[in-house]
Amino acid sequence: MTSGAFSLMIHGGAGELREAQDAAAAEAYHAALQGILEAGRERLARGERALDTVEYCAARLEDDALFNAATGAALTREGSVELDAAIMDGAALAAGAVAAVRGIANPVRLARAILEDGEHVLLVADGAAAFAREMGMAQVDEESLITPQRREQLERALRRGRVTLDHDEPAPGTIGAVARDRYGHLAAATSTGGMTGQRPGRVGDSPIPGAGVYADDATAAISATGHGEDFLRSVFAKDLADRIRHLGLDAREALTTSLQHLHERIGGYGGAIAIDHAGRCAAGTTTPRMLHGWIEHGGPTRTGVEPPPVPPAP
Ligand code: ASP
C-alpha cells in the first residue's frame, strides 16, 4: 500500500437520538466529536500510526461522560458497569479485546495491552481485570464511572421492563474509531457499556472481531453500534469487509449493502462507520440517527447525526 492522505472517523452511537433535536445537547456532542477529530488529525498528520490514533480517540471518547463507554457507561439491570471493548490492527490482523470487565477506566487501553501481549485475543470479567493488574493498570472504583443520568436511565428501563439501546433513551451511546494512516494501514476500535438494563454477563458485538469491530489493510476498518445481538448474528463487520474483498465494492457501497442485508434478513437495528483501504469514508444506519464525524483524505472535519438513509435493496 502506498503512502498518502490519512482518513479518520469516530462515532458516538446509533439510535433514535431524540436528544439531538435539543440544540444545546446536539451542540455538546458535535463539540466533543470535533475536538477529538482535530486531535486525531494532528496525530495522523505527523505520522502517527492508525492503531495508536484509534486507541487515543477511543480513550478520549471513553473519558467523556457524554458517551456510553467507561465513564458514563450504561448500567446492567443490577446497576453494575460491565465494559466491552476491542481494538484491531489491520496491518497484522492482530486484535485485543475485553468483555464484561469492571473497574477499568479505559477498557480500550486494556484491549490494546492484550493485543500487544499477543497470547490471547479476548479476556473477560475477573480474568481481564487480573491481566490489567499484571500490566500495572489501575483499577478504579466503579462508582467513579457512574453518572446520575445513567442511574435515572436504568430506573426508566426497569420500570418499562425493557433492555434499551442507549440512544433510545435521552443520553448518548457506544463509541468507535477507525483510521487509515499515511502508510496505508487501517485500525479500528469500539468500546461500550452495552445496553441499559442488560443481564449481567451479557456481551454484545463491540468486543467481537468480525461483529462490532474489524480491520484488515486489504479491505476496511469498521466500528459498529446498535443492538449487539443483531451485529453478532450477522457477523456484520466481516460481512462488510468481505463485500469489499470479493465484490470489489468501496466503503459506501459495502456499508449500504451490509446494512440492507442486516435490515432485511433479521430486522437489525444499528449502524456503522467504515474506512476502506483507499481511505474512503462511509457512515450509515438503520436507526433514525447516528452520531459520527470524519476526516476524509486529510480534508475538512465534519460531524453529523443523520447519515444517508439505507436505501431499500433493488
Ligand atoms: N452495540 C452495543 C451493544 O450491543 C450497544 C450500542 O451500540 O449502543 O453492546
Side-chain angles (χ1 to χ4, degrees), residues 98 128 312:
V98 291

Side-chain angles (χ1 to χ4, degrees), residues 5-288:
F6 57 83
S7 293
L8 174 65
M9 298 189 85
I10 57 178
H11 73 76
E16 296 265 335
L17 262 158
R18 287 182 292 269
E19 66 272 26
Q21 278 150 351
D22 173 82
E27 183 52 41
Y29 301 147
H30 287 284
L33 295 183
Q34 288 265 354
I36 293 168
L37 283 167
E38 285 308 330
R41 172 198 296 280
E42 262 172 48
R43 287 163 179 264
L44 288 166
R46 67 168 187 249
E48 188 172 278
R49 289 193 305 156
L51 184 64
D52 294 324
T53 306
V54 297
E55 179 187 348
Y56 168 81
C57 292
R60 284 216 23 202
L61 287 157
E62 287 178 337
D63 289 343
D64 191 329
L66 272 180
F67 302 103
N68 168 18
T71 305
L75 304 179
T76 70
R77 63 184 62 171
E78 287 174 8
S80 56
V81 180
E82 298 192 359
L83 303 169
D84 298 342
I87 188 164
M88 189 151 176
D89 173 12
L93 278 193
V98 291
V101 69
R102 297 179 64 172
I104 298 292
N106 286 114
V108 73
R109 296 210 187 279
L110 182 54
R112 174 71 189 270
I114 293 168
L115 182 157
E116 293 301 332
D117 180 66
E119 187 180 9
H120 301 302
V121 168
L122 172 62
L123 293 176
V124 308
D126 292 348
F131 181 77
R133 284 193 295 277
E134 249 178 66
M135 293 290 110
M137 272 183 201
Q139 294 265 131
V140 297
D141 180 358
E142 190 155 294
E143 286 298 313
S144 70
L145 302 175
I146 301 178
T147 62
Q149 290 85 343
R150 295 298 179 198
R151 284 197 208 283
E152 289 160 21
Q153 187 181 42
L154 176 63
E155 277 162 30
R156 279 194 302 274
L158 293 179
R159 269 203 302 275
R160 293 207 303 261
R162 270 183 49 204
V163 178
T164 54
L165 195 62
D166 186 52
H167 271 315
D168 289 344
E169 278 287 326
T174 289
I175 66 96
V178 295
R180 179 192 187 273
D181 62 30
R182 285 168 45 186
Y183 321 105
H185 296 307
L186 300 179
T190 306
S191 181
T192 188
M195 311 240 318
T196 300
Q198 68 182 19
R199 198 179 277 281
R202 178 264 186 186
V203 174
D205 60 314
S206 308
I208 308 299
V213 67
Y214 194 68
D216 177 358
D217 281 4
T219 55
I222 299 134
S223 173
T225 165
H227 281 163
E229 283 71 9
D230 301 342
F231 287 79
L232 283 166
R233 291 161 64 207
S234 62
V235 199
F236 183 86
K238 183 61 163 59
D239 175 71
L240 195 163
D242 283 348
R243 287 168 195 268
I244 294 176
R245 181 189 304 278
H246 300 301
L247 304 175
L249 304 186
D250 65 21
R252 191 172 316 280
E253 295 161 340
L255 178 55
T256 304
T257 54
S258 280
L259 285 171
Q260 281 167 345
H261 174 72
L262 176 82
H263 180 62
E264 277 152 29
R265 188 74 174 82
I266 58 171
Y269 190 75
I273 53 173
I275 296 178
D276 67 23
H277 52 88
R280 294 169 295 212
C281 294
T285 185
T286 69
T287 62

